[in-house]
Amino acid sequence: MPVYQSKARIALLGFGLLAACDPQALADKAMRRTAETVVRPVIARELPGNVAEAATQCVLDAAGNDEIRALARDVGVEAGTLTVDNIRNLATRPSATACFARNGVPPLKG
C-alpha cells in the first residue's frame, strides 16, 4: 500500500475519533476542572491533602451543571463568602455526605 493511502487512512481515523467527541461533554469537563480549582482551596482550609481532594470530588459530584458553572466563576480569585456558603451547602447534601463517608472524609465544620 502506498504511503499516501496509509496517511489518508490515519487522517480519516483521526477525524472519525474527533467527530465522536461530544463538544458539550468536553465543555462540562473543562468547567468541572475550573470549579475544582475554586472548591479545593476552600476545602483545604479544613482538610489535609488527599482528604481535601476526595471531599472536593464529592462536592462537585453533588453539584448540578448550573452550580458548577457558578463555582467556576470565582476562578483566579479567592472564593467569596457566597461561594464558600455554596460549597458548604453542597457538602451537606445527602449524596455528598454519603460520598464523604465512603471516602473517609469527615464532615466540614460550620
Side-chain angles (χ1 to χ4, degrees), residues 38 69-80 82-84:
V38 174
R69 277 192 285 283
L71 291 169
R73 286 188 203 125
D74 275 352
V75 69
V77 297
E78 186 174 342
L82 179 60
T83 299
V84 171

Side-chain angles (χ1 to χ4, degrees), residues 13-14 56:
L13 177 64
T56 297

